Amino acid sequence: MAQFKHLAELNSFLSMDGENVKGPVPRWQRKLNLSAASASFNSSALANTSARQTLSVSMTGNANNTLQLSTTGNSLKTPRKNGVKTVVASSTKKTSQTPSKGVSNGQSQTGGGDRFIPSRTTTDFDLGHYIVKQGASGHEEDTENEEGSAVATNVPTSPKQSERMKSLSEAMSGCDISKHRLLSFRTKVPPPPEGHVNPLKAIYSVKTPMSVKSGSRYIPNAPERILDAPEIMNDYYLNLMDWSMDNVIAVALGSSVYLWNAATGTIEMLFENEGNDHACSLSWIHEGHILAVGTSAGTVELWDCENIKRLRVMNGHSARVGVLAWNSYVLCSGSRDGMIINHDVRTRQHNIGMLQGHTQEVCGLKWSPDGKYLASGGNDNLVHVWSAANGAPHAAGDPLHVFNAHQAAIRALAWCPWQPNVLASGGGTADRTIKFWNVANGQLMNSVDTKSQVCGLLFSKTYKELISAHGYVNNQLSIWKYPSMTKQVDLMGHTGRVLQIAMSPDGSTVMSAGADETLRLWNCFTPDPLLAKKEKSAVREKPSLLKQSMR
């Protein structure tokens, strides 16, 4: 019999047919019973205002767990601080009950009520506190101190005063506070009124310039020195200035070439052409005092600037030579005929190779720091990259890469000193971009729109920065952070486009030649003295063998 009793109990536990009356009352049912009890109590209390009643709620342990209400004779009136008692004038006021989710077509379904939780992020607590205080003070002023009844009366205000209060509220809160809700159930911040300007927007939204940020270096905005350059030719395709390793600057002015010693400040004329001939390009050899000069007659001349003597004249081009580039003892020349010639200046037969690729004038020519690649830019909007022939300091064969992403002539070329495979190229007026190429795989790494003609590019030897020279419209020099290409500063001063830029041997100063017939020296890459001092103190001097042997 025991086993049958056990099965009966198990079946009763697993049965789901009837309502479970032994468990606790659900939360929604308790809330429904409480709300019904509160509503019935309010109606009975409002109907009999003369009697003083109080409510006591007790839970009885019946099967349905209903509420039992009992009242005693207590007053519903709540005395105020000033002793004035308020009496409800009418018993017809009904309490509003929040509808449940199941209400539809005027019929309510059994279920728990829903809660409307205000959004704290979109609620103006200061304004709500002000409205509550104003309402409380106004209610106290409106109640009359009479026995038996308290009738609310509105204090009359003049239209001018009410209009003034309304305008003040709108000015303080941006809206009419009489129509403003205390609690907000919106999920988004309301839009500001039309014409509103947030004065803090400029503080938190505008980015701080790099030159003002803490830890950034100081870059002078004014040139250190300005020199006159009369009759300098305003031609985008010519290269009329270069700075030697001996700190001597060569510049072509009209039909003459002048030498300016940056250390002593002395000026000397190297030579003067006769007739209509003039210098179209200048380039110093890396070590020594030999200057290569490309002429409008298509020849390349070598000059000994220490003895003011012309060493030789090399032919080969049929048009003007607008650009020159040295690589050890090999001099490469680019001409308007579209040819690039490798000249071995040691031998009598100087022409050791010709590079054919450009269809128009070659105006840009630069060797990579490691001497493995030669980059050339032309008026045909193409950038060619040539590889050195079997380790020799000259290029040969077909171009390794041909880049055609520019939309104008490419004169500005620069190789990155710490990344020998990275080439920077700048386009002319129709392009206005600086592009970075990886010559190892021929991919475009980055492109930056400078909004103006790019006339020259130089990488800094001291910082990971790049300086660019520009023409129309601002005629400025711009310093960029590399590789982020964040603009550091614009160096203004030239009234004409910047034709060319050259860097000093120590890498601290940049000279710019402008179409306004001025040469300006910018001390923009000076090493930080504090940083140099730290680096110097970090390097410990190695003790000598004599000191090591002494005890």
Side-chain angles (χ1 to χ4, degrees):
M1 295 297 292
Q3 60 182 355
F4 293 110
K5 184 177 180 180
H6 175 69
L7 290 175
E9 291 180 356
L10 185 61
N11 291 331
S12 64
F13 289 151
L14 298 178
S15 177
M16 301 296 292
D17 296 338
E19 182 181 1
N20 186 11
V21 297
K22 297 183 179 180
V25 180
R27 181 172 177 269
W28 64 267
Q29 189 173 359
R30 293 201 307 269
K31 291 185 63 178
L32 186 62
N33 295 336
L34 284 172
S35 61
S38 177
S40 61
F41 168 71
N42 289 337
S43 60
S44 61
L46 292 174
N48 189 13
T49 56
S50 60
R52 307 182 71 183
Q53 300 173 353
T54 187
L55 175 67
S56 63
V57 181
S58 62
M59 288 288 293
T60 58
N62 54 6
N64 295 330
N65 291 327
T66 58
L67 293 174
Q68 300 294 331
L69 306 177
S70 62
T71 59
T72 58
N74 291 327
S75 174
L76 286 176
K77 296 180 181 179
T78 303
R80 293 186 174 271
K81 294 181 181 180
N82 54 4
V84 179
K85 299 181 180 181
T86 59
V87 178
V88 180
S90 175
S91 62
T92 58
K93 185 178 179 182
K94 298 182 180 180
T95 59
S96 60
Q97 184 177 355
T98 304
S100 62
K101 291 183 179 180
V103 176
S104 62
N105 298 328
Q107 297 179 357
S108 61
Q109 299 177 358
T110 304
D114 192 8
R115 294 170 52 197
F116 289 88
I117 303 176
S119 175
R120 297 181 63 88
T121 58
T122 59
T123 301
D124 192 346
F125 289 97
D126 294 335
L127 181 59
H129 181 265
Y130 173 74
I131 295 174
V132 171
K133 294 290 289 183
Q134 289 293 107
S137 61
H139 184 69
E140 290 180 0
E141 293 174 359
D142 292 343
T143 53
E144 294 182 358
N145 190 7
E146 296 181 358
E147 288 190 16
S149 65
V151 181
T153 59
N154 295 327
V155 178
T157 57
S158 63
K160 185 176 181 180
Q161 184 178 3
S162 61
E163 186 68 23
R164 181 171 177 270
M165 293 297 295
K166 183 179 180 181
S167 61
L168 285 176
S169 65
E170 291 179 355
M172 292 176 59
S173 60
C175 61
D176 188 2
I177 62 173
S178 61
K179 300 179 181 179
H180 188 79
R181 294 185 178 182
L182 297 182
L183 301 179
S184 175
F185 299 94
R186 290 168 291 189
T187 57
K188 295 182 180 180
V189 179
E194 185 178 358
H196 173 74
V197 178
N198 186 4
L200 300 180
K201 184 178 181 181
I203 299 177
Y204 296 104
S205 62
V206 178
K207 293 184 179 179
T208 306
M210 292 292 293
S211 58
V212 185
K213 285 185 177 179
S214 177
S216 64
R217 64 187 187 89
Y218 169 71
I219 303 176
N221 293 325
E224 183 182 4
R225 194 168 183 179
I226 301 177
L227 304 175
D228 291 330
E231 298 183 6
I232 190 170
M233 298 187 65
N234 186 6
D235 195 329
Y236 177 78
Y237 302 96
L238 304 184
N239 296 270
L240 304 176
M241 184 181 64
D242 197 18
W243 204 327
S244 72
M245 298 300 295
D246 295 332
N247 207 13
V248 178
I249 298 172
V251 58
L253 303 177
S255 59
S256 305
V257 175
Y258 292 88
L259 303 177
W260 180 67
N261 194 319
T264 61
T266 59
I267 300 174
E268 188 176 10
M269 187 176 70
L270 181 62
F271 67 89
E272 183 179 2
N273 289 302
E274 296 180 358
N276 295 326
D277 293 341
H278 58 86
C280 297
S281 57
L282 303 175
S283 181
W284 288 96
I285 195 170
H286 294 317
E287 295 180 0
H289 46 78
I290 304 300
L291 177 66
V293 180
T295 66
S296 59
T299 61
V300 178
E301 301 178 357
L302 297 181
W303 284 80
D304 183 357
C305 296
E306 187 175 355
N307 299 318
I308 313 298
K309 181 181 179 181
R310 187 173 67 181
L311 300 178
R312 67 183 300 181
V313 178
M314 297 179 291
N315 300 315
H317 291 289
S318 60
R320 68 179 186 181
V321 180
V323 62
L324 298 168
W326 284 92
N327 187 19
S328 184
Y329 53 85
V330 174
L331 175 64
C332 298
S333 60
S335 173
R336 179 177 275 184
D337 57 11
M339 302 295 297
I340 300 174
I341 298 179
N342 297 308
H343 305 274
D344 189 344
V345 299
R346 306 172 302 170
T347 63
R348 183 180 181 85
Q349 300 296 331
H350 56 85
N351 192 340
I352 59 175
M354 301 180 66
L355 304 177
Q356 299 181 2
H358 291 281
T359 58
Q360 296 187 34
E361 182 173 7
V362 180
C363 51
L365 210 58
K366 282 292 176 64
W367 277 97
S368 62
D370 54 7
K372 293 182 179 180
Y373 303 102
L374 173 66
S376 62
N379 195 28
D380 52 1
N381 307 344
L382 298 178
V383 177
H384 289 228
V385 178
W386 315 80
S387 59
N390 299 324
H394 64 88
D398 296 329
L400 181 64
H401 300 292
V402 178
F403 303 132
N404 58 359
H406 285 285
Q407 305 298 322
I410 300 100
R411 176 178 178 266
L413 295 172
W415 291 90
C416 183
W418 57 90
Q419 291 178 328
N421 294 333
V422 176
L423 171 67
S425 60
T429 307
D431 184 75
R432 305 180 302 276
T433 63
I434 300 175
K435 299 183 185 297
F436 297 90
W437 311 91
N438 187 349
V439 298
N441 54 17
Q443 299 295 322
L444 176 63
M445 300 171 56
N446 191 11
S447 180
V448 179
D449 187 5
T450 63
K451 310 296 184 184
S452 59
Q453 180 188 40
V454 183
C455 301
L457 291 173
L458 285 176
F459 277 95
S460 172
K461 301 177 182 179
T462 311
Y463 305 94
K464 288 190 175 182
E465 295 176 353
L466 176 74
I467 185 170
S468 58
H470 298 276
Y472 312 111
V473 179
N474 295 324
N475 307 316
Q476 85 282 7
L477 283 82
S478 300
I479 298 179
W480 311 78
K481 273 285 187 180
Y482 180 83
S484 64
M485 290 306 290
T486 303
K487 184 178 288 189
Q488 292 280 78
V489 67
D490 284 333
L491 304 179
M492 311 296 293
H494 282 287
T495 57
R497 64 177 175 178
V498 183
L499 298 173
Q500 194 173 353
I501 52 177
M503 185 174 288
S504 62
D506 59 357
S508 62
T509 307
V510 173
M511 173 171 275
S512 60
D516 55 358
E517 297 185 347
T518 61
L519 303 177
R520 298 173 186 260
L521 281 84
W522 309 88
N523 194 11
C524 54
F525 292 130
T526 304
D528 188 359
L530 298 178
L531 183 61
K533 186 177 180 181
K534 290 180 181 178
E535 293 179 354
K536 186 176 181 180
S537 61
V539 179
R540 296 182 179 179
E541 182 181 359
K542 185 178 180 181
S544 63
L545 296 177
L546 180 61
K547 291 183 179 180
Q548 291 180 1
S549 61
M550 295 177 63
R551 297 183 181 272

